[in-house]
Amino acid sequence: MKNQVIPNRNIRQTLFHKTVCGALVLCLLAACKSAADKTSSGAGIMKTEEIFFASILDHTFRFETLSARLKLEFKSPEKEMSSRAQLKMIYNDRIQLSLQPLLGIEMFRIELTADSVKILDRMNKRFMMESYENIKGKSTVDFNFNNLQALFANNLFIPGEGNLSLVAGQFRRFRMTKDKHSVNLKIKDETGMLYTFTTGEDEILRSISIHDKSEKYTLTWDYSDFQTVDKQRFPFKMEAELTTNDKKQGAVTFTFSPPEINSPLRTDFNIPAGYKQVTFSQIMKLIDKQ
């Protein structure tokens, strides 16, 4: 492929559990449409919803390309693992994660584009290439490339769609609640999954939690250690955690080195001869056996 320039073994645990578990492990291998009530001013909270959302959008982390070295740490009730990694992102084009657990030698490469997911497993000489449409047919998660890109960029998004726009009045699809120091913005996707975005007094996104319709499974993505990158605030630490009935199933921590943005960036996904192709379903079965 040519180079490109510039995320209970019982079947009844639902495909949501399998998909999110898969997303966490792959990271190692790698609308409520009702209008919200007007909020009164508080510490760091604007007087109207539109002004408040405009302030959130003003804090959107903007980039054309992003490259950073990471430390990944995975914890589950049974095991703990860590790995070095390299993250490359080309805005609205692709996300590539290279896992290098030993001496900088790549063992896995994961690439997500606007329409597909690819995994290269150098340890077992196999690869996967599958479209989102095909994967969506096997899961209940209304999630896409733009949403995953927003997760890594610490940006607010519309589930199953893309980044928020004031022009389209999309902010009215969120239900807003606030306390003394934070604001929660809630929205459902077409499958009934509930997304809760929590911002601090500074209108910067601090966490995202995703609950399935039964409220049995929850994926939480937290942001911390904000530092300045090209005059913008960026979280140097991200933590993704999956729980089932409030019991921790697994967590991945991403610790960033200072990222480089808007520099020419090259990615590739060359498949060596002799590698065997596997499917998304086969990958999920392999994960279940771990």
Side-chain angles (χ1 to χ4, degrees):
M1 297 186 183
K2 65 181 181 179
N3 292 343
Q4 302 288 335
V5 179
I6 264 252
N8 180 328
R9 302 177 177 116
N10 187 315
I11 292 177
R12 294 178 62 103
Q13 274 203 319
T14 83
L15 289 169
F16 169 78
H17 183 207
K18 284 178 174 282
T19 301
V20 175
C21 277
L24 289 173
V25 176
L26 294 183
C27 285
L28 278 179
L29 310 178
C32 281
K33 300 194 178 195
S34 58
D37 296 332
K38 297 295 181 181
T39 61
S40 59
S41 61
I45 306 303
M46 308 308 259
K47 290 185 177 181
T48 69
E49 289 177 16
E50 188 166 4
I51 293 175
F52 176 72
F53 276 95
S55 181
I56 292 177
L57 294 183
D58 190 52
H59 289 97
T60 295
F61 188 81
R62 295 174 173 84
F63 66 95
E64 293 300 323
T65 67
L66 183 149
S67 177
R69 293 197 172 278
L70 313 175
K71 179 182 179 182
L72 297 185
E73 298 171 275
F74 173 76
K75 294 182 180 181
S76 74
E78 294 81 24
K79 69 177 80 173
E80 294 186 12
M81 302 166 59
S82 65
S83 175
R84 297 177 182 177
Q86 175 79 36
L87 175 68
K88 295 180 180 179
M89 299 174 63
I90 301 177
Y91 186 70
N92 281 352
D93 183 77
R94 69 195 58 234
I95 301 171
Q96 190 176 97
L97 188 64
S98 171
L99 279 294
Q100 305 158 5
L102 295 172
L103 303 174
I105 300 173
E106 181 181 71
M107 293 297 176
F108 301 93
R109 180 173 296 194
I110 304 163
E111 182 173 273
L112 302 102
T113 62
D115 58 8
S116 65
V117 180
K118 305 171 188 175
I119 302 172
L120 186 66
D121 178 356
R122 296 191 186 279
M123 291 183 64
N124 298 292
K125 294 186 177 181
R126 62 193 177 198
F127 70 96
M128 187 207 84
M129 301 176 64
E130 203 147 353
S131 70
Y132 288 119
E133 289 304 315
N134 192 32
I135 293 175
K136 279 184 179 180
K138 302 167 184 172
S139 74
T140 59
V141 182
D142 189 15
F143 208 73
N144 61 21
F145 171 82
N146 290 331
N147 294 166
L148 186 59
Q149 176 178 260
L151 276 178
F152 276 105
N154 183 228
N155 292 334
L156 187 66
F157 61 86
I158 303 292
E161 298 179 29
N163 290 345
L164 181 73
S165 170
L166 286 179
V167 176
Q170 291 175 324
F171 70 92
R172 295 188 180 93
R173 295 167 60 179
F174 289 84
R175 179 165 57 89
M176 178 189 293
T177 60
K178 71 182 185 70
D179 56 31
K180 186 175 181 180
H181 299 294
S182 64
V183 173
N184 292 320
L185 310 170
K186 299 185 178 184
I187 185 171
K188 288 184 178 179
D189 67 15
E190 292 184 356
T191 70
M193 291 177 60
L194 176 64
Y195 293 67
T196 302
F197 300 83
T198 300
T199 70
E201 295 179 342
D202 50 10
E203 288 92 33
I204 291 178
L205 187 61
R206 301 289 174 170
S207 71
I208 302 169
S209 63
I210 306 172
H211 302 267
D212 77 318
K213 195 172 183 178
S214 69
E215 298 186 356
K216 184 176 182 179
Y217 306 106
T218 301
L219 176 66
T220 304
W221 196 290
D222 292 323
Y223 304 95
S224 59
D225 191 18
F226 284 81
Q227 299 183 39
T228 301
V229 176
D230 193 34
K231 299 180 181 180
Q232 304 180 82
R233 301 294 285 170
F234 184 82
F236 276 48
K237 188 172 184 178
M238 303 180 187
E239 297 177 86
E241 181 178 87
L242 176 69
T243 60
T244 303
N245 292 328
D246 296 324
K247 293 182 179 180
K248 294 182 180 180
Q249 300 297 318
V252 181
T253 300
F254 307 82
T255 303
F256 285 72
S257 296
E260 182 177 357
I261 67 171
N262 302 333
S263 296
L265 189 62
R266 183 175 297 275
T267 65
D268 64 74
F269 200 90
N270 297 318
I271 301 171
Y275 275 47
K276 179 182 177 181
Q277 185 169 4
V278 295
T279 66
F280 177 77
S281 296
Q282 288 172 316
I283 290 288
M284 292 298 98
K285 289 178 181 178
L286 290 170
I287 289 170
D288 270 352
K289 292 177 181 179
Q290 300 302 313

